[in-house]
């Protein structure tokens, strides 16, 4: 049996001072990879807002939104409005390699733990701030959510079919892009710190993250002066690259080159399409994409999606069924073979069920695979353990609890 090395981020301590999605999402990645991620929550507000977000696990009542994003983390809860709470948090900062926060700019400084204050406590600290509009600029004071980012970052203007109202992506892509951008920046900063011994302040905005993801669409405007428009599932660079209707359901074809189309046409039993003056090169296929879609849908009209995909797959052309969540969960090639639904042991205070199902980590590493060791912590679950590690006695911890500094 192959011997694996311990988690690739073992020995790195991350303070996850975040709520909602972007921050917890990248904190989850770090925890899966072996970092000691400490979920910090405000004791007086009863922890993260999403502790009550649906869906709920029916027997325990636990929020699976929260559980999925916070597995593998330890939990601390303090009252930062009390001086003793601030002192305890300062000790935590001194012990950390990374702090991630997603408060509105200025909130952390008012608490006494902005970048400059934390840098003074720990010059090696990598401090990542996630916000709607960033730490600078005239909009920095505004609250920012995924919908705001998709609206102002441009993606809603190109999502949907011609004539539709602007539409957000079904996933919270602003939050997810921002979280992943923080992950790249943190890992780069950890590498740079090995050489300099110094930390870094990372400033990631949800709006910026969407703008970055606009790629060729934004370049179209910059270099032609024409704003891209909604094209449904069509792709601006090639055709057929779209969704199509079969007898029973929908599927997609991603034919990206002239050679692809030649092979696809032959697989459909219509090799003459590749020589047709309407479709014989990429630019012509893009221009006549609607007519070509009708040709493909007429061919698929008496076939099931499974039959269509079998024919196109055999030819080696990219094609796929369009899954909803039920179909996705029934595809063992994704769920089991790629381990995209996994289980973690139930929290120690919720043994009504033995384990909870969460979404697997998409990053697979041969020598340092991710591990799923524990469920998300209850509020302040690891206060005693963590602050004992920092040198506090049981007597001191008891006094803090009595004063309402920690639970």
């Amino acid at each position: 049996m192959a011997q694996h090395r311990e988690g690739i981020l073992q020995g790195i301590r991350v303070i996850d001072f975040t709520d909602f999605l972007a921050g917890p999402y990248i904190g989850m990645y770090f925890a899966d990879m072996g970092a000691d991620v400490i979920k910090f929550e405000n004791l007086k507000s009863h922890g993260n807002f999403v502790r009550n977000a649906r869906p709920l696990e029916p027997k325990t009542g636990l929020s699976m939104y929260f559980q999925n994003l916070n597995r593998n983390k330890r939990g601390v809860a303090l009252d930062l409005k009390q001086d003793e709470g601030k002192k305890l948090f300062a000790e935590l900062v001194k012990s950390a390699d990374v702090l991630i926060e997603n408060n509105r700019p200025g909130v952390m400084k008012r608490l006494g733990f902005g970048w400059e204050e934390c840098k003074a406590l720990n010059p090696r600290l990598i401090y990542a701030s996630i916000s709607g509009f960033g730490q600078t600029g005239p909009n920095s004071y505004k609250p920012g959510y995924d919908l705001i980012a998709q609206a102002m970052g441009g993606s809603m203007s190109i999502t949907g079919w011609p004539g539709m109202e602007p539409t957000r992506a079904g996933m919270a892509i602003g939050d997810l892009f921002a979280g992943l951008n923080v992950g790249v920046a943190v890992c780069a900063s950890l590498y740079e710190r090995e050489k300099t011994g110094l930390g870094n302040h990372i400033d990631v905005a949800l709006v910026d993250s969407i703008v970055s993801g606009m790629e060729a669409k934004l370049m179209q405007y910059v270099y032609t002066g024409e704003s891209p428009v909604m094209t449904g599932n069509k792709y601006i660079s090639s055709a057929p690259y779209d969704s199509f209707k079969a007898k029973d359901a929908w599927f997609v074809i991603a034919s990206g080159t002239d050679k692809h189309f030649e092979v696809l046409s032959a697989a459909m039993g219509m090799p003459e399409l590749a020589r047709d003056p309407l479709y014989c090169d990429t630019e012509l296929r893009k221009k006549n994409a609607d007519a070509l879609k009708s040709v493909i849908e007429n061919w698929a009209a008496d076939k099931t999606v499974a039959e269509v995909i079998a024919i196109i797959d055999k030819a080696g052309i990219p094609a796929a069924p369009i899954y909803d969540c039920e179909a996705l969960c029934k595809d063992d090639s994704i769920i089991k073979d790629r381990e995209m639904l996994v289980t973690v042991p139930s929290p120690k205070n919720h043994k009504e069920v033995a384990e909870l199902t969460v979404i697997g980590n998409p990053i697979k590493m041969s020598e340092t695979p991710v591990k799923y060791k524990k469920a998300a912590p209850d509020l302040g679950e690891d206060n005693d353990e963590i602050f004992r590690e920092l040198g506090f006695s049981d007597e001191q911890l008891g006094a803090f609890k009595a004063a309402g500094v920690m639970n």
Side-chain angles (χ1 to χ4, degrees), residues 70-82:
N70 293 288
R71 81 280 185 110
N72 286 339
K73 302 176 186 179
R74 297 196 288 171
V76 160
L78 300 173
D79 179 4
L80 287 188
K81 291 189 176 179
Q82 294 195 48

Side-chain angles (χ1 to χ4, degrees), residues 242-311:
D242 201 346
S243 56
F244 304 89
K245 183 74 168 65
K247 181 168 68 173
D248 61 336
W250 291 84
F251 65 97
V252 295
I253 298 173
S255 174
T257 67
D258 290 341
K259 182 61 178 177
H260 274 173
F261 187 63
E262 182 181 335
V263 174
L264 174 65
S265 299
M268 292 166 56
M270 292 182 281
E272 67 278 4
L273 284 177
R275 301 185 296 273
D276 190 304
L278 292 175
Y279 313 125
C280 60
D281 66 33
T282 297
E283 289 305 312
L284 288 167
R285 288 194 301 277
K286 285 163 52 181
K287 181 179 178 181
N288 299 294
D290 291 341
L292 181 55
K293 181 168 184 169
S294 294
V295 170
I296 294 171
E297 290 190 335
N298 286 337
W299 168 75
D302 63 346
K303 302 173 183 66
T304 66
V305 165
E307 290 168 339
V308 168
I309 299 303
I311 292 168

Side-chain angles (χ1 to χ4, degrees), residues 16-218:
D16 177 349
F17 198 127
T18 69
D19 203 344
F20 297 101
L21 179 53
Y25 185 69
I26 193 58
M28 173 194 74
Y29 270 59
F30 294 151
D32 289 352
M33 293 179 186
D36 178 20
V37 179
I38 297 173
K39 182 73 183 177
F40 177 84
E41 297 178 84
N42 185 332
L43 182 59
K44 292 304 181 185
S45 64
H46 308 292
N48 276 191
F49 177 82
V50 296
R51 277 191 174 275
N52 299 310
R54 294 179 183 275
L56 306 179
E57 197 287 320
K59 292 185 178 178
T60 62
L62 291 168
S63 165
M64 292 312 299
Y65 184 114
F66 184 84
Q67 287 294 321
N68 182 59
L69 292 173
N70 293 288
R71 81 280 185 110
N72 286 339
K73 302 176 186 179
R74 297 196 288 171
V76 160
L78 300 173
D79 179 4
L80 287 188
K81 291 189 176 179
Q82 294 195 48
D83 288 342
E84 291 299 324
K86 292 181 185 295
K87 290 177 183 176
L88 285 168
F89 189 74
E91 292 304 310
L92 199 57
V93 169
K94 291 175 187 177
S95 76
D97 297 284
V98 180
L99 185 152
I100 307 170
E101 60 92 9
N102 65 349
N103 297 278
R104 202 184 304 190
V107 169
M108 292 296 285
K109 187 169 185 66
R110 289 195 294 275
L111 289 171
F113 295 102
W115 158 239
E116 293 297 337
E117 292 79 11
C118 287
K119 179 182 176 182
L121 289 169
N122 181 356
R124 290 174 54 82
L125 183 70
I126 294 160
Y127 188 110
S129 297
I130 306 172
S131 61
F133 295 90
Q135 303 297 303
T136 59
N139 291 327
S140 61
Y141 73 95
K142 293 184 178 181
Y145 290 90
D146 177 77
L147 182 62
I148 305 301
Q150 291 196 39
M152 292 189 68
S155 67
M156 287 181 67
S157 73
I158 57 172
T159 302
W161 271 258
M164 282 179 55
E165 65 181 276
T167 304
R168 73 172 183 88
M171 299 185 298
I173 57 174
D175 280 304
L176 299 175
F177 283 6
L180 293 173
N181 287 338
V182 164
V184 172
V186 165
C187 289
S189 296
L190 285 169
Y191 177 76
E192 193 258 357
R193 193 182 69 175
E194 291 298 303
K195 296 177 283 186
T196 66
L198 298 174
N200 201 1
H201 184 203
I202 296 161
D203 171 8
V204 170
L206 272 66
V207 172
D208 297 352
S209 298
I210 291 288
V211 172
S212 175
M214 289 289 286
E215 37 86 28
K217 302 292 196 303
L218 184 54

Side-chain angles (χ1 to χ4, degrees), residues 5 34 103 143 254 267 300 344 362:
R5 298 193 293 271
N103 297 278
V344 294

